[in-house]
Structure formats: C-alpha cells, structure tokens
Short mmCIF file of all heavy atoms in Angstrom, two decimals:
data_model
loop_
_atom_site.label_atom_id
_atom_site.label_comp_id
_atom_site.label_asym_id
_atom_site.label_seq_id
_atom_site.Cartn_x
_atom_site.Cartn_y
_atom_site.Cartn_z
N SER A 126 36.60 78.47 -58.97
CA SER A 126 35.26 78.06 -58.59
C SER A 126 35.33 76.91 -57.60
O SER A 126 36.34 76.20 -57.51
CB SER A 126 34.45 77.64 -59.83
OG SER A 126 33.11 77.36 -59.50
N ASN A 127 34.24 76.72 -56.86
CA ASN A 127 34.19 75.73 -55.79
C ASN A 127 33.57 74.42 -56.29
O ASN A 127 32.37 74.33 -56.52
CB ASN A 127 33.37 76.30 -54.62
CG ASN A 127 33.37 75.38 -53.43
OD1 ASN A 127 34.08 74.38 -53.40
ND2 ASN A 127 32.58 75.72 -52.43
N LEU A 128 34.40 73.39 -56.48
CA LEU A 128 33.91 72.11 -56.97
C LEU A 128 33.04 71.41 -55.93
O LEU A 128 32.05 70.74 -56.28
CB LEU A 128 35.09 71.21 -57.35
CG LEU A 128 34.74 69.79 -57.78
CD1 LEU A 128 33.89 69.79 -59.04
CD2 LEU A 128 36.01 68.97 -57.99
N ALA A 129 33.36 71.53 -54.66
CA ALA A 129 32.67 70.78 -53.61
C ALA A 129 31.16 71.05 -53.61
O ALA A 129 30.37 70.17 -53.28
CB ALA A 129 33.25 71.10 -52.25
N ASP A 130 30.74 72.26 -53.98
CA ASP A 130 29.33 72.61 -53.97
C ASP A 130 28.62 72.30 -55.28
O ASP A 130 27.41 72.52 -55.39
CB ASP A 130 29.16 74.10 -53.66
CG ASP A 130 29.52 74.44 -52.21
OD1 ASP A 130 29.48 73.52 -51.38
OD2 ASP A 130 29.87 75.60 -51.95
N TYR A 131 29.33 71.81 -56.27
CA TYR A 131 28.71 71.59 -57.59
C TYR A 131 27.93 70.29 -57.59
O TYR A 131 28.41 69.25 -57.13
CB TYR A 131 29.78 71.57 -58.68
CG TYR A 131 29.20 71.75 -60.07
CD1 TYR A 131 28.81 73.01 -60.51
CD2 TYR A 131 29.02 70.67 -60.92
CE1 TYR A 131 28.26 73.19 -61.77
CE2 TYR A 131 28.47 70.83 -62.18
CZ TYR A 131 28.09 72.09 -62.61
OH TYR A 131 27.54 72.27 -63.85
N PRO A 132 26.70 70.28 -58.12
CA PRO A 132 25.87 69.07 -58.09
C PRO A 132 26.44 67.98 -59.00
O PRO A 132 26.82 68.24 -60.14
CB PRO A 132 24.51 69.55 -58.62
CG PRO A 132 24.52 71.03 -58.46
CD PRO A 132 25.95 71.45 -58.63
N VAL A 133 26.47 66.77 -58.49
CA VAL A 133 26.93 65.63 -59.29
C VAL A 133 26.02 65.46 -60.51
O VAL A 133 26.49 65.18 -61.62
CB VAL A 133 26.95 64.35 -58.44
CG1 VAL A 133 27.24 63.12 -59.30
CG2 VAL A 133 27.99 64.47 -57.33
N ALA A 134 24.71 65.60 -60.32
CA ALA A 134 23.77 65.44 -61.43
C ALA A 134 24.03 66.43 -62.55
O ALA A 134 23.84 66.11 -63.73
CB ALA A 134 22.33 65.58 -60.93
N ALA A 135 24.48 67.64 -62.21
CA ALA A 135 24.76 68.64 -63.23
C ALA A 135 25.97 68.24 -64.07
O ALA A 135 26.00 68.44 -65.28
CB ALA A 135 24.99 70.00 -62.58
N ALA A 136 26.99 67.68 -63.42
CA ALA A 136 28.17 67.23 -64.15
C ALA A 136 27.82 66.07 -65.08
O ALA A 136 28.26 66.02 -66.24
CB ALA A 136 29.26 66.80 -63.18
N VAL A 137 27.01 65.14 -64.60
CA VAL A 137 26.59 64.00 -65.42
C VAL A 137 25.73 64.49 -66.59
O VAL A 137 25.87 64.00 -67.72
CB VAL A 137 25.84 62.97 -64.57
CG1 VAL A 137 25.20 61.90 -65.44
CG2 VAL A 137 26.78 62.33 -63.56
N ALA A 138 24.86 65.45 -66.34
CA ALA A 138 24.03 66.00 -67.42
C ALA A 138 24.89 66.66 -68.49
O ALA A 138 24.61 66.55 -69.68
CB ALA A 138 23.02 67.00 -66.85
N ALA A 139 25.96 67.33 -68.08
CA ALA A 139 26.88 67.93 -69.05
C ALA A 139 27.60 66.85 -69.84
O ALA A 139 27.77 66.95 -71.06
CB ALA A 139 27.90 68.81 -68.33
N SER A 140 28.00 65.80 -69.17
CA SER A 140 28.72 64.71 -69.83
C SER A 140 27.86 64.02 -70.88
O SER A 140 28.37 63.48 -71.86
CB SER A 140 29.18 63.68 -68.79
OG SER A 140 29.93 62.65 -69.37
N ALA A 141 26.53 64.04 -70.68
CA ALA A 141 25.59 63.36 -71.57
C ALA A 141 24.83 64.31 -72.48
O ALA A 141 23.86 63.89 -73.14
CB ALA A 141 24.60 62.53 -70.75
N ALA A 142 25.24 65.57 -72.56
CA ALA A 142 24.49 66.57 -73.31
C ALA A 142 24.79 66.46 -74.81
O ALA A 142 25.67 67.14 -75.34
CB ALA A 142 24.82 67.97 -72.80
N VAL A 143 24.04 65.62 -75.49
CA VAL A 143 24.23 65.42 -76.93
C VAL A 143 23.83 66.70 -77.67
O VAL A 143 22.80 67.30 -77.38
CB VAL A 143 23.37 64.24 -77.41
CG1 VAL A 143 23.48 64.07 -78.91
CG2 VAL A 143 23.81 62.97 -76.70
N PRO A 144 24.65 67.12 -78.64
CA PRO A 144 24.32 68.33 -79.41
C PRO A 144 22.92 68.24 -80.03
O PRO A 144 22.48 67.19 -80.47
CB PRO A 144 25.40 68.36 -80.49
CG PRO A 144 26.55 67.60 -79.91
CD PRO A 144 25.93 66.53 -79.05
N LEU A 145 22.22 69.36 -80.03
CA LEU A 145 20.87 69.53 -80.53
C LEU A 145 19.82 68.97 -79.57
O LEU A 145 18.81 69.62 -79.33
CB LEU A 145 20.68 68.91 -81.92
CG LEU A 145 21.53 69.49 -83.05
CD1 LEU A 145 21.14 68.86 -84.38
CD2 LEU A 145 21.40 71.00 -83.13
N ALA A 146 20.03 67.77 -79.03
CA ALA A 146 19.08 67.27 -78.05
C ALA A 146 19.11 68.13 -76.79
O ALA A 146 18.09 68.30 -76.12
CB ALA A 146 19.38 65.82 -77.70
N PHE A 147 20.30 68.66 -76.46
CA PHE A 147 20.47 69.52 -75.29
C PHE A 147 21.19 70.80 -75.68
O PHE A 147 22.07 70.79 -76.55
CB PHE A 147 21.30 68.81 -74.20
CG PHE A 147 20.61 67.65 -73.56
CD1 PHE A 147 20.75 66.37 -74.07
CD2 PHE A 147 19.80 67.83 -72.45
CE1 PHE A 147 20.12 65.29 -73.49
CE2 PHE A 147 19.16 66.75 -71.86
CZ PHE A 147 19.32 65.48 -72.38
N ALA A 148 20.81 71.88 -75.03
CA ALA A 148 21.61 73.10 -75.13
C ALA A 148 22.87 72.92 -74.30
O ALA A 148 22.89 72.16 -73.34
CB ALA A 148 20.80 74.29 -74.60
N PRO A 149 23.96 73.60 -74.66
CA PRO A 149 25.20 73.44 -73.89
C PRO A 149 25.02 73.78 -72.42
O PRO A 149 24.32 74.73 -72.06
CB PRO A 149 26.15 74.44 -74.57
CG PRO A 149 25.62 74.59 -75.96
CD PRO A 149 24.13 74.47 -75.83
N VAL A 150 25.64 72.97 -71.57
CA VAL A 150 25.70 73.26 -70.14
C VAL A 150 26.76 74.34 -69.93
O VAL A 150 27.82 74.32 -70.55
CB VAL A 150 26.04 71.99 -69.34
CG1 VAL A 150 26.24 72.31 -67.86
CG2 VAL A 150 24.92 70.96 -69.51
N VAL A 151 26.46 75.30 -69.05
CA VAL A 151 27.30 76.49 -68.91
C VAL A 151 28.01 76.49 -67.55
O VAL A 151 27.39 76.25 -66.51
CB VAL A 151 26.47 77.78 -69.05
CG1 VAL A 151 27.36 79.01 -68.93
CG2 VAL A 151 25.73 77.79 -70.40
N ILE A 152 29.32 76.74 -67.60
CA ILE A 152 30.14 76.94 -66.39
C ILE A 152 30.71 78.35 -66.45
O ILE A 152 31.30 78.74 -67.46
CB ILE A 152 31.30 75.92 -66.33
CG1 ILE A 152 30.77 74.49 -66.29
CG2 ILE A 152 32.19 76.20 -65.13
CD1 ILE A 152 30.11 74.10 -64.99
N GLU A 153 30.55 79.11 -65.39
CA GLU A 153 31.07 80.48 -65.36
C GLU A 153 32.48 80.50 -64.78
O GLU A 153 32.79 79.77 -63.83
CB GLU A 153 30.16 81.38 -64.52
CG GLU A 153 30.55 82.85 -64.58
CD GLU A 153 29.54 83.76 -63.91
OE1 GLU A 153 28.52 83.24 -63.41
OE2 GLU A 153 29.77 84.99 -63.89
N THR A 154 33.34 81.32 -65.37
CA THR A 154 34.69 81.50 -64.83
C THR A 154 34.74 82.75 -63.97
O THR A 154 34.04 83.73 -64.22
CB THR A 154 35.73 81.61 -65.96
OG1 THR A 154 35.48 82.81 -66.73
CG2 THR A 154 35.66 80.40 -66.89
N PHE A 155 35.61 82.73 -62.94
CA PHE A 155 35.72 83.86 -62.01
C PHE A 155 37.19 84.26 -61.84
O PHE A 155 37.72 84.22 -60.73
CB PHE A 155 35.13 83.49 -60.65
CG PHE A 155 33.70 83.03 -60.70
CD1 PHE A 155 33.38 81.68 -60.68
CD2 PHE A 155 32.66 83.95 -60.78
CE1 PHE A 155 32.07 81.24 -60.72
CE2 PHE A 155 31.34 83.53 -60.82
CZ PHE A 155 31.03 82.17 -60.79
N PRO A 156 37.87 84.63 -62.91
CA PRO A 156 39.31 84.93 -62.80
C PRO A 156 39.61 86.09 -61.86
O PRO A 156 40.68 86.16 -61.26
CB PRO A 156 39.73 85.24 -64.23
CG PRO A 156 38.46 85.65 -64.92
CD PRO A 156 37.39 84.82 -64.28
N GLN A 157 38.64 87.01 -61.70
CA GLN A 157 38.85 88.15 -60.82
C GLN A 157 38.87 87.75 -59.35
O GLN A 157 39.33 88.51 -58.49
CB GLN A 157 37.77 89.21 -61.06
CG GLN A 157 36.38 88.82 -60.59
CD GLN A 157 35.64 87.88 -61.53
OE1 GLN A 157 36.19 87.50 -62.56
NE2 GLN A 157 34.41 87.54 -61.19
N GLN A 158 38.38 86.54 -59.04
CA GLN A 158 38.32 86.10 -57.66
C GLN A 158 39.67 85.63 -57.13
O GLN A 158 39.89 85.58 -55.92
CB GLN A 158 37.32 84.95 -57.52
CG GLN A 158 35.88 85.35 -57.82
CD GLN A 158 35.34 86.32 -56.78
OE1 GLN A 158 34.92 87.42 -57.12
NE2 GLN A 158 35.37 85.93 -55.53
N CYS A 159 40.56 85.22 -58.02
CA CYS A 159 41.88 84.76 -57.59
C CYS A 159 42.90 85.21 -58.62
O CYS A 159 43.14 84.51 -59.61
CB CYS A 159 41.92 83.25 -57.37
SG CYS A 159 41.22 82.25 -58.70
#
C-alpha cells in the first residue's frame, strides 16, 4: 500500500481509537499487487 497518500489525521485517529468509544480503524492489504 501507498503510505504517502494516507491521511495523517486517519493515522492519529487510529492511534487514539479507544475500544467501544470507537469502532476499529480498517487498513486493507493488497498482497496480490506485489
């Protein structure tokens, strides 16, 4: 996956996603791409 295009705010939101207060943040894997 391409890190350069990933939003900084999305990474910070994942880092602060307390269980129950937030649903898990989802990252998709693309093993077929490489």
